[in-house]
Amino acid sequence: MLSPSTFLSISIFLLLFSFELSNAVSTTKIGQGYRLISIEESPHGGLIGLLQVKQKTYTYGPDIPYLQLFVKHETQDRLRVHITDADKKRWEVPYNLLAREQPPPLKKSLGKSKGELFTASEYSGNELIFSYTSDPFSFSVRRKSNGQTLFNTSSDESDPYGNLVFKDQYLEISTKLPSSAAIYGLGENTQPNGIRLQPNDPYTIYTTDISAINLNMDLYGSHPVYMDLRNEGGEANAHGVLLLNSNGMDVFYRGSSLTYKVIGGVFDFYFFGGPTPLAVVDQYTAFVGRPAPMPYWALGFHQCRWGYHNVSEIEGVVEGYKKAKIPLDVMWTDDDHMDGAKDFTLDPINFPREKLQAFVSKIHSRGMKYIVLIDPGIATNSTYGTFIRGMANDVFIKYEGKPYLAQVWPGPVYFPDYLNPKTVSWWTDEIRRFRELVPVDGLWIDMNEVSNFCTGLCELPKDHPCPTGKGDPWVCCLDCKNITKTRWDEPPYKINASGTHVPLGYKTIATSAVHYNGVLEYDAHSLYGFSQAIATHNALQGLIGKRPFVLSRSTFVGSGAYAAHWTGDNQGTWLNLKYSISTMLNFGIFGMPMVGSDICGFYPQPTEELCNRWIELGAFYPFSRDHANFASPRQELYVWDSVAKSARNALGMRYKLLPYLYTLNYEAHISGAPIARPIFFSFPNLTEAYGLSTQFLLGSSVMVSPVLTMGATSVKALFPPGTWYNLFDMTKTVVSKQGHYLSLNAPLHEINVHVYQNMILPMQRGGMTSQEARMTPFTLVVTFPSGATNGEAKGKVFVDDDERLDMKMEDGQSTYVEFYASLTNKMVKVWSQVEEGKFALNKGLEIEKVIVLGLEGNGVGLQIEVDGFPLKDTSATFIENTPSHVEKLEGNNQKRGMMVVIGGLELSLGKNFAMSWKMGIKG
Ligand SMILES: *[C@@H]1O[C@H](CO)[C@@H](O)[C@H](O)[C@H]1NC(C)=O
Ligand SMILES: *[C@@H]1O[C@H](CO)[C@@H](O)[C@H](O)[C@H]1NC(C)=O
Ligand SMILES: *[C@@H]1O[C@H](CO)[C@@H](O)[C@H](O)[C@H]1NC(C)=O
Ligand SMILES: *[C@@H]1O[C@H](CO)[C@@H](O)[C@H](O)[C@H]1NC(C)=O
Ligand SMILES: *[C@@H]1O[C@H](CO)[C@@H](O)[C@H](O)[C@H]1NC(C)=O
Ligand SMILES: *[C@@H]1O[C@H](CO)[C@@H](O)[C@H](O)[C@H]1NC(C)=O
């Protein structure tokens, strides 16, 4: 859905930033620091310390005199450092939203200490060591294995930052960083220079309805977490740092240091020891919540548009895909199906219930799904059931005791308060009622930063209608008072959210508004989308009894356990095509692996060439959806013949790769492993890959190298050392000795997708829907290094019935198979090891083909055995492989990898198998 800011943002922000900036003090040292006056061991594990301010200062308010420090190695590789007011409970991310250990109760600053005095200067865990200095207090975190300092808050005279500062509305802390540190994360942000953070770019973290076309600004989500990857002496180590805090903050990354300036809450740091990028994400998601498992169909292709006028139009779209033979799994509507943009209603003229139900049953019978949008704003319409029941249950956010009035698409609205348990019950019931009206398969929660077209405290206008009826529903039509009276609206330190010259509540809820239990919007603002995603996910799960699908625009730490994400409103430009990769990769690091951008761009109209290139890239986004705005001409993939051709090619490959993608979805759910990952995840030692944001990996071994520039018919791509096989034509091989850039052909309809050596890739035949594709027989692609005489390869596949809620192995509802291959002196062996084979056996899943790449020798006199019996030799074919990009082959230049294709197999996926043969020798 369009945000008004999509159109207006550029001009608004130019205007804002032309004012003199008030935070020119950003390099001034604010406080005098604290001294540690006691530290002792907690009876429940960890250390508890008491800090006293050295000298009171008053910039941004008075210092809090005493702080309680709590430090604990919570797991082998997770260290927590929690600092809060020792005398008074402060706001923290609610423990019921993000479950974690409660720090020990406050001891009060003047209370007598009772624990064991802690006398050591270091507190050591398995992988991380915490140490501190007492006066001024500072702490550092070191890695045990190599002594590297990961975090160090001490400050010298020469540093552009000072000591720890802790005031009611201003918290500051800094760390030094070595020049070797590559930093990733701190979003949500569109990063024109790629995934690696650039020193001195602004990193403000606060959820806003600022669209993805705005560079280096705080966008829809809040993720105050970074990964730090350092290559010292040829060996790379990664760790992660989360500051679990929902208040707005500016993070200043200067290359050699990083400073947090936060306007509330507490310091609640979590250090994740890694030491690989995958281990960091594993440890991070073990803490914030594992990514929600996605239903199988969600990995299919999705089509949406804001501006499908009626049921006939969406029927036409489904037919259009069918006729063009382009796969399609999910049809979406934005707010067009609604009556007057009101959630949970249907437009009686254009989307009448019977017609829509008939459409939904028809696509359901073909295995397809239907998803609709909902916004948080509930129209204040006295004849609207959802609103009436909301009022009766008192579910809305309030200002001075009355529901807070805002304006979004339907006009005047109130916002549900998802921190209130009564709101959650009401919301669940509204979803239940709606699903009785039309059985939607998932929900898309948009505008939940939360977006408001007005600012401040507003009333219904007495002298004009609202919306004005002039076709500009995004222009504020309420009568609003400028709220500057409270310190929650205009805090002493102004973060750079929507600029620094507007109130914090600019185009959202006034930050002095209150939630359930007196919680201030000031504190809970960035949790809105997160709390809504939890309520929506849990509602769908309870109602459908199946794995829910929720797509959320606004996200917070932990949202991945409940929802998928798309990168919001983008533009149909080549630059936006490129930016989509970095944002997607960042969300993998944030523990939200199900992510993608609007394919072909949300607005304005993409060129035909761009749309070709976008579907080629978008076919490999974890979440693959074409979406456009009503102001753009139609851009479904069948609209242009050339785009249709590229789509059949690229989506055709995606649908063949669905078993691999689904297995990645499973791995994401059990270990947090991103589905789409930066190249450095598999090649952490390869420093050239640290900033690489024009290519990415799916899982560990499938590399996507898209064309991102106009007019190009080739692409320059980095190939980490080893053999890479083109998935579209496996005879095309890249052998890279050291990790070089190579120029590859990329005609308009082709994208380069390569699979790395030592892999066994599970594929199927594909199909027009994921339901059709998943029943087809499997092919295993086994990759040895080109011309190898010895080697090993591995792979796996997870299959289950995606109707069930979780992905647990033990209930007989899933099968997990590991595949192995070995090559020893021309002897090739391929075998499987099945866990819980029953599910695959019941479904009759079979392997029909095994393709082995990179072998030396030929097929002369070759005898294949399967499970000890010879195979009819008619079923095998041998193809001489002609490496297209042999950079340098070691030793004998004549070595050519052979491709052996063994077809006509009927191996049960659910049963162990073993096959073997010896390669022939020419002559
Ligand atoms: C932290 O920085 C201080 C000041 O630069 C330095 O003296 C100290 O050794 C550092 N601590 C660690 C653990 O690296
Ligand atoms: C605030 O953000 C804008 C937009 O990214 C940037 O141009 C500006 O320099 C930032 N101001 C400060 C004080 O960081
Ligand atoms: C990176 O280099 C180190 C040290 O040479 C080595 O131990 C490690 O296996 C390498 N990692 C990868 C993934 O190649
Ligand atoms: C659906 O909308 C389209 C575009 O506005 C229009 O041409 C068509 O007549 C409508 N069909 C029905 C059945 O209303
Ligand atoms: C309230 O909703 C009804 C039904 O959609 C609509 O006809 C009416 O115009 C709405 N009232 C206002 C004040 O918007
Ligand atoms: C809000 O009030 C402040 C302080 O009086 C003023 O500077 C600002 O221009 C006002 N903003 C609007 C949008 O009226």
Side-chain angles (χ1 to χ4, degrees):
M1 156 98 60
L2 178 82
S3 326
S5 68
T6 305
F7 288 134
L8 305 179
S9 50
I10 291 177
S11 50
I12 287 178
F13 291 114
L14 284 177
L15 195 74
L16 290 172
F17 297 136
S18 61
F19 287 100
E20 192 190 339
L21 294 166
S22 70
N23 289 328
V25 283
S26 68
T27 55
T28 316
K29 301 183 185 186
I30 305 297
Q32 295 293 321
Y34 284 76
R35 77 170 65 86
L36 181 78
I37 55 174
S38 77
I39 187 158
E40 61 195 46
E41 284 175 46
S42 157
H44 309 291
L47 304 179
I48 304 177
L50 187 62
L51 308 176
Q52 183 180 27
V53 72
K54 284 173 69 91
Q55 189 193 321
K56 250 195 176 173
T57 61
Y58 294 90
T59 310
Y60 305 140
D63 296 293
I64 290 177
Y66 291 94
L67 303 178
Q68 175 167 293
L69 165 74
F70 173 59
V71 188
K72 189 173 180 185
H73 291 283
E74 293 188 327
T75 68
Q76 300 221 322
D77 22 44
R78 182 170 87 226
L79 168 72
R80 181 184 193 181
V81 178
H82 182 274
I83 302 173
T84 187
D85 187 336
D87 292 303
K88 215 171 96 213
K89 223 171 154 41
R90 286 180 62 81
W91 165 257
E92 299 189 34
V93 174
Y95 283 78
N96 64 340
L97 288 191
L98 197 84
R100 61 201 189 279
E101 195 183 324
Q102 291 271 0
L106 298 176
K107 296 186 56 147
K108 307 293 178 194
S109 51
L110 300 173
K112 262 244 167 278
S113 87
K114 290 195 187 71
E116 283 290 306
L117 234 52
F118 182 75
T119 46
S121 62
E122 293 190 347
Y123 169 52
S124 189
N126 218 56
E127 175 65 6
L128 301 174
I129 304 170
F130 172 87
S131 55
Y132 61 90
T133 59
S134 297
D135 192 4
F137 170 75
S138 75
F139 73 89
S140 62
V141 180
R142 286 189 343 260
R143 186 186 292 288
K144 209 174 197 174
S145 54
N146 63 5
Q148 229 174 49
T149 300
L150 308 183
F151 204 84
N152 184 352
T153 71
S154 78
S155 107
D156 303 328
E157 277 307 308
S158 59
D159 289 325
Y161 51 85
N163 288 306
L164 170 69
V165 182
F166 208 118
K167 299 167 187 255
D168 190 25
Q169 287 185 276
Y170 183 79
L171 283 66
E172 181 186 314
I173 198 164
S174 304
T175 178
K176 293 180 204 318
L177 290 169
S179 56
S180 62
I183 310 288
Y184 307 90
L186 301 178
E188 181 176 6
N189 200 330
T190 300
Q191 294 166 198
N193 298 309
I195 42 173
R196 183 169 176 175
L197 300 192
Q198 303 287 311
N200 305 317
D201 276 351
Y203 297 98
T204 296
I205 302 181
Y206 190 68
T207 63
T208 61
D209 178 3
I210 294 177
S211 80
I213 66 174
N214 296 280
L215 311 179
N216 294 321
M217 293 190 64
D218 55 320
L219 307 183
Y220 313 110
S222 163
H223 295 271
V225 56
Y226 69 81
M227 182 188 287
D228 175 336
L229 176 63
R230 302 176 188 179
N231 191 333
E232 286 172 5
E235 193 186 321
N237 283 292
H239 67 274
V241 179
L242 164 68
L243 171 54
L244 185 57
N245 181 303
S246 61
N247 289 84
M249 67 180 84
D250 287 331
V251 184
F252 295 87
Y253 168 50
R254 305 180 192 85
S256 58
S257 66
L258 189 144
T259 297
Y260 297 90
K261 300 189 175 192
V262 193
I263 59 172
V266 303
F267 284 127
D268 195 3
F269 281 105
Y270 294 83
F271 299 91
F272 304 93
T276 63
L278 267 184
V280 171
V281 186
D282 187 359
Q283 292 150 11
Y284 180 63
T285 56
F287 176 61
V288 304
R290 297 297 194 190
M294 291 293 140
Y296 206 93
W297 53 261
L299 295 168
F301 182 70
H302 303 246
Q303 177 64 49
C304 185
R305 176 181 172 80
W306 185 22
Y308 284 136
H309 299 106
N310 52 41
V311 177
S312 325
E313 278 200 18
I314 56 176
E315 280 170 344
V317 172
V318 172
E319 283 315 297
Y321 273 90
K322 196 174 166 204
K323 259 180 49 204
K325 297 196 163 50
I326 301 169
L328 176 66
D329 261 78
V330 191
M331 193 63 210
W332 294 56
T333 48
D334 198 300
D335 69 359
D336 301 290
H337 63 280
M338 296 181 191
D339 177 22
K342 295 197 287 297
D343 282 349
F344 308 125
T345 63
L346 295 179
D347 176 338
I349 315 264
N350 295 310
F351 286 84
R353 184 181 177 198
E354 268 87 83
K355 257 191 147 167
L356 188 60
Q357 277 184 340
F359 166 79
V360 175
S361 2
K362 187 170 166 199
I363 66 167
H364 277 171
S365 72
R366 286 166 52 184
M368 295 168 63
K369 306 290 174 182
Y370 177 56
I371 295 179
V372 298
L373 170 139
I374 42 178
D375 286 333
I378 299 301
T380 59
N381 180 318
S382 59
T383 64
Y384 169 38
T386 298
F387 172 71
I388 295 167
R389 290 182 291 271
M391 288 303 285
N393 285 289
D394 194 16
V395 304
F396 299 110
I397 291 172
K398 293 196 177 136
Y399 200 94
E400 287 170 352
K402 289 196 305 222
Y404 176 80
L405 184 68
Q407 181 197 335
V408 202
W409 300 112
V413 300
Y414 293 158
F415 291 122
D417 173 14
Y418 298 97
L419 299 182
N420 182 345
K422 259 162 77 182
T423 307
V424 173
S425 317
W426 160 82
W427 186 248
T428 305
D429 189 53
E430 293 306 320
I431 294 175
R432 178 189 64 78
R433 289 167 186 270
F434 182 57
R435 287 198 74 262
E436 278 172 11
L437 211 55
V438 41
V440 295
D441 300 288
L443 289 170
W444 171 18
I445 50 177
D446 193 14
M447 306 288 280
N448 50 0
E449 293 73 27
V450 59
S451 178
N452 178 0
F453 300 161
C454 300
T455 299
L457 194 54
C458 308
E459 286 175 359
L460 285 176
K462 299 205 171 63
D463 53 349
H464 60 85
C466 183
T468 59
K470 290 181 193 149
D472 52 0
W474 56 83
V475 173
C476 179
C477 55
L478 300 173
D479 277 347
C480 299
K481 276 200 271 303
N482 186 346
I483 318 182
T484 53
K485 52 177 185 267
T486 85
R487 63 193 183 103
W488 310 119
D489 303 297
E490 302 271 355
Y493 174 80
K494 304 235 177 352
I495 58 167
N496 194 3
S498 305
T500 54
H501 276 73
V502 288
L504 207 48
Y506 178 71
K507 294 215 165 187
T508 182
I509 299 170
T511 38
S512 48
V514 287
H515 293 249
Y516 179 65
N517 253 347
V519 167
L520 279 168
E521 168 68 8
Y522 179 82
D523 292 318
H525 171 81
S526 292
L527 299 174
Y528 197 89
F530 180 44
S531 59
Q532 191 196 14
I534 298 174
T536 309
H537 171 101
N538 292 347
L540 281 178
Q541 179 159 308
L543 292 168
I544 313 184
K546 293 181 192 170
R547 206 175 288 169
F549 179 86
V550 177
L551 181 73
S552 183
R553 192 169 76 181
S554 186
T555 61
F556 185 72
V557 174
S559 283
Y562 304 94
H565 179 62
W566 91 109
T567 65
D569 296 352
N570 62 358
Q571 275 178 314
T573 67
W574 291 92
L575 283 175
N576 277 258
L577 172 70
K578 184 172 115 187
Y579 300 155
S580 73
I581 299 177
S582 298
T583 310
M584 166 182 77
L585 296 177
N586 273 329
F587 272 87
I589 293 171
F590 297 150
M592 295 201 75
M594 187 63 171
V595 57
S597 286
D598 286 349
I599 291 169
C600 297
F602 180 65
Y603 90 98
Q605 173 181 25
T607 63
E608 182 174 345
E609 183 194 359
L610 175 60
C611 202
N612 271 275
R613 293 311 192 181
W614 212 319
I615 184 55
E616 288 168 10
L617 167 58
F620 300 96
Y621 290 156
F623 173 58
S624 184
R625 186 185 72 159
D626 179 327
H627 180 41
N629 163 356
F630 63 85
S632 294
R634 298 284 288 259
Q635 64 181 42
E636 292 79 13
L637 301 176
Y638 55 80
V639 167
W640 289 287
D641 287 344
S642 74
V643 175
K645 187 172 173 193
S646 295
R648 280 189 292 271
N649 194 37
L651 285 175
M653 180 57 73
R654 179 189 183 91
Y655 274 64
K656 289 180 188 168
L657 286 173
L658 283 174
Y660 180 61
L661 287 171
Y662 193 65
T663 304
L664 293 176
N665 171 41
Y666 171 66
E667 291 190 329
H669 178 57
I670 59 170
S671 73
I675 297 174
R677 319 174 179 164
I679 306 292
F680 67 73
F681 266 66
S682 287
F683 303 94
N685 292 347
L686 191 65
T687 335
E688 289 102 297
Y690 285 15
L692 189 60
S693 311
T694 48
Q695 296 168 252
F696 60 94
L697 291 169
L698 289 175
S700 62
S701 300
V702 171
M703 183 166 73
V704 181
S705 310
V707 167
L708 303 171
T709 47
M710 189 168 78
T713 52
S714 67
V715 63
K716 222 177 125 213
L718 179 68
F719 281 86
T723 306
W724 296 87
Y725 297 95
N726 186 323
L727 270 185
F728 289 93
D729 176 355
M730 293 178 196
T731 65
K732 286 188 183 161
T733 310
V734 171
V735 181
S736 172
K737 181 93 192 309
Q738 270 164 340
H740 282 161
Y741 278 93
L742 293 171
S743 187
L744 302 172
N745 283 335
L748 184 62
H749 301 300
E750 290 181 20
I751 174 159
N752 279 281
V753 180
H754 289 81
V755 57
Y756 192 50
Q757 66 189 25
N758 308 330
M759 175 69 181
I760 303 181
L761 186 67
M763 295 178 73
Q764 279 168 290
R765 287 187 187 173
M768 288 298 115
T769 60
S770 64
Q771 191 187 63
E772 185 188 320
R774 69 187 301 189
M775 295 315 294
T776 62
F778 283 76
T779 292
L780 301 180
V781 179
V782 183
T783 63
F784 289 115
S786 181
T789 43
N790 291 294
E792 280 177 1
K794 261 191 214 164
K796 55 205 149 195
V797 73
F798 175 86
V799 289
D800 74 350
D801 181 348
D802 72 26
E803 303 282 289
R804 70 203 184 110
L805 285 177
D806 55 37
M807 289 187 136
K808 289 209 179 71
M809 285 301 302
E810 53 269 17
D811 59 2
Q813 293 299 303
S814 58
T815 294
Y816 179 71
V817 187
E818 288 189 328
F819 302 109
Y820 298 91
S822 69
L823 174 64
T824 356
N825 296 323
K826 297 205 161 69
M827 187 71 189
V828 184
K829 287 186 181 159
V830 183
W831 71 98
S832 71
Q833 220 168 297
V834 177
E835 237 180 85
E836 305 284 340
K838 205 172 99 206
F839 175 79
L841 289 173
N842 286 346
K843 292 274 166 184
L845 298 175
E846 287 191 339
I847 299 165
E848 62 172 345
K849 200 187 277 182
V850 173
I851 301 176
V852 186
L853 296 162
L855 299 170
E856 209 198 9
N858 61 35
V860 177
L862 182 138
Q863 186 59 255
I864 295 168
E865 279 192 2
V866 178
D867 296 333
F869 294 98
L871 191 76
K872 284 194 209 97
D873 52 11
T874 49
S875 51
T877 51
F878 307 88
I879 299 169
E880 180 108 14
N881 200 353
T882 46
S884 56
H885 286 278
V886 179
E887 211 193 316
K888 193 171 170 217
L889 282 178
E890 284 196 75
N892 185 354
N893 253 352
Q894 303 296 43
K895 272 188 183 171
R896 291 236 194 270
M898 288 278 296
M899 172 154 79
V900 175
V901 181
I902 303 165
L905 300 169
E906 287 175 1
L907 306 171
S908 273
L909 184 70
K911 274 207 310 228
N912 290 347
F913 74 86
M915 63 189 335
S916 61
W917 67 90
K918 193 158 176 116
M919 292 300 290
I921 299 160
K922 241 183 191 111

